[in-house]
Amino acid sequence: NNQEVKQETNQEAKEFWGMDELNYSMLMHLSQFAGYIVPFGGLAMPLVMWLTNNKNSETVDSHGKNIMNWIISMVIYVIASFILSFVFIGFITMIAVAILAIVFPIIGAVKANKGEIWKYPLSIPFIK
């Protein structure tokens, strides 16, 4: 009986790039910080991670869609903030977006590590 449970657990455990599904999903969220090291790395890394494994796991696909929707939304918010900076309010919104760009991926990573799929607040669902 224990062997059956162990076999079922092994069959369900999927690996991506040498990591289990939870760690891979967590890393997808944290890979957004690659943009602080390499230009456009915060877009390229989660995009590559999502596109290489979205067909193999619904969990990876859901996390990837949430991350991409947030990144696209964030770019829109930054552009709007830049335009609004001519009337001062844009500086405040730009600071808010910058803070959210740090906080949201961390929350997403923690939730992903717990096995939860978290939709980023304020993200526009472009990819469904």
Side-chain angles (χ1 to χ4, degrees):
N1 207 5
N2 280 343
Q3 285 181 332
E4 288 177 21
V5 172
K6 195 172 185 180
Q7 269 185 332
E8 287 177 22
T9 326
N10 287 341
Q11 288 174 355
E12 291 174 14
K14 297 178 183 177
E15 285 204 4
F16 308 98
W17 296 8
M19 293 174 266
D20 66 20
E21 195 171 42
L22 293 179
N23 286 330
Y24 187 82
S25 298
M26 178 183 70
L27 186 61
M28 272 189 357
H29 289 278
L30 294 176
S31 68
Q32 294 176 68
F33 295 125
Y36 296 114
I37 300 167
V38 177
F40 299 104
L43 169 65
M45 191 66 188
L47 183 62
V48 167
M49 291 179 77
W50 173 49
L51 291 178
T52 57
N53 290 299
N54 66 346
K55 303 282 190 253
N56 303 328
S57 166
E58 288 183 31
T59 302
V60 170
D61 189 39
S62 295
H63 284 289
K65 287 176 182 176
N66 289 337
I67 293 166
M68 288 302 117
N69 284 332
W70 167 244
I71 290 172
I72 294 166
S73 300
M74 187 174 53
V75 168
I76 292 169
Y77 296 145
V78 167
I79 292 169
S81 295
F82 177 75
I83 293 168
L84 289 172
S85 66
F86 295 108
V87 289
F88 186 72
I89 190 78
F91 294 113
I92 296 167
T93 57
M94 191 132 358
I95 291 169
V97 171
I99 291 169
L100 295 177
I102 294 169
V103 173
F104 282 177
I106 293 171
I107 294 171
V110 170
K111 298 254 187 200
N113 198 32
K114 292 179 181 178
E116 300 174 34
I117 296 173
W118 184 67
K119 185 179 177 209
Y120 288 50
L122 304 176
S123 67
I124 304 164
F126 293 105
I127 305 167
K128 295 182 180 186

